Amino acid sequence: MGLFTKDIKTMEDLFSHCLQDIYYAENQIVKSLPKMIEKTSDGELKRGLQQHLKETENQVKRLEQVFEMQGRRAEGHKCPAIDGIIREADEVMGEIEDQAVLNTAVVALAQAVEHYEITRYGALIAWANELGHRPSAKVLGETLKEEKAADAKLTAIAEDKVNPRASGSAARSRRTAKKRAGGKKTGARARAASRRSSARTAKKKGQRKKTTSRRRA
Ligand code: ZN
Ligand code: FE
Ligand code: FE
Ligand code: FE
């Protein structure tokens, strides 16, 4: 930011400014994800975050590729937004004692990061296309796809497992099932539950496949 002049004059300037912003952000995310991974006790969540850490390292390289395509040196520009999101995550994680509640918090805090990235990449891609930087838009698009997939996966883990465990509803429904000695839920509640679970299964079939093959590997 210039004191006497305004640095961003054109849309092209804005594009390269935001490219530097997200480059800084991705580098901060590479540093902060290990802390989130360490804080979680859920295996699936841990593996999901570890996979996204690897993706993020590759996203940094992709951005370096885009800088090169633009004929610029890869350079970061301090992003106060990601710094704030990460600082808040550290604070919240530090205030939680219960491990199940901590797992739930980690999902939401990680999703705040993903959503920030999604807005930034969304704009960068639109601007790159508008400015005629098609190859850059394509490379940035690969990253956007990964950010959206990471976000969707976190939602699935939260809804299926981590949230019910933190609220105690997983334990409650296990107890109820026992009490009924294998009896099935009846009426509207059973129909609603089965609708919810089949909708979830349909939505995440693709992701489940990936998870299984990764586990096998
Ligand atoms: Zn600036
Ligand atoms: Fe990223
Ligand atoms: Fe930013
Ligand atoms: Fe991400």
Side-chain angles (χ1 to χ4, degrees):
M1 201 173 21
L3 198 54
F4 301 107
T5 57
K6 292 193 190 292
D7 290 337
I8 303 174
K9 293 189 172 70
T10 64
M11 188 169 172
E12 195 71 65
D13 294 341
L14 182 63
F15 176 70
S16 55
H17 181 91
C18 280
L19 207 54
Q20 294 179 339
D21 177 280
I22 197 70
Y23 185 63
Y24 172 92
E26 292 287 16
N27 276 293
Q28 295 311 113
I29 295 164
V30 167
K31 285 188 210 155
S32 78
L33 271 175
K35 235 178 289 167
M36 286 192 179
I37 292 166
E38 190 195 296
K39 290 278 185 183
T40 174
S41 67
D42 181 86
E44 198 184 351
L45 178 56
K46 225 183 231 299
R47 282 191 298 275
L49 293 173
Q50 266 155 355
Q51 191 205 346
H52 196 55
L53 173 57
K54 282 210 196 87
E55 282 173 344
T56 305
E57 284 162 352
N58 191 46
Q59 290 169 358
V60 170
K61 291 199 192 109
R62 251 187 225 134
L63 284 171
E64 286 162 2
Q65 224 180 301
V66 174
F67 277 111
E68 212 182 298
M69 286 167 164
Q70 299 298 313
R72 308 180 65 100
R73 192 164 55 91
E75 193 180 8
H77 183 286
K78 195 169 163 55
C79 165
I82 201 70
D83 284 344
I85 291 169
I86 290 169
R87 198 179 335 118
E88 183 179 38
D90 286 342
E91 277 172 23
V92 173
M93 289 188 300
E95 281 172 34
I96 300 172
E97 184 83 50
D98 184 275
Q99 184 61 58
V101 175
L102 184 53
N103 289 342
T104 280
V106 166
V107 174
L109 297 165
Q111 282 186 297
V113 174
E114 297 316 312
H115 283 226
Y116 178 70
E117 296 181 289
I118 289 167
T119 64
R120 283 295 173 262
Y121 281 106
L124 280 167
I125 290 164
W127 296 342
N129 279 320
E130 185 63 36
L131 294 164
H133 306 317
R134 293 293 142 92
S136 294
K138 209 170 157 249
V139 173
L140 295 167
E142 286 167 34
T143 295
L144 179 59
K145 229 193 275 166
E146 288 173 354
E147 310 295 19
K148 286 183 175 170
D151 179 49
K153 186 176 198 159
L154 286 165
T155 298
I157 292 173
E159 288 180 350
D160 282 1
K161 195 161 65 172
V162 168
N163 291 356
R165 281 190 188 161
S167 73
S169 72
R172 270 200 306 277
S173 68
R174 268 197 304 278
R175 275 198 303 276
T176 322
K178 252 189 198 166
K179 251 188 222 161
R180 286 178 185 166
K184 281 184 179 162
K185 279 184 192 164
T186 53
R189 280 196 63 193
R191 281 195 298 278
S194 106
R195 258 202 313 278
R196 273 197 304 276
S197 89
S198 56
R200 272 200 299 259
T201 319
K203 206 166 65 187
K204 285 170 327 218
K205 265 208 172 127
Q207 251 154 16
R208 284 253 164 74
K209 262 182 215 151
K210 257 186 236 155
T211 315
T212 354
S213 64
R214 203 158 23 79
R215 243 177 234 154
R216 248 184 253 128

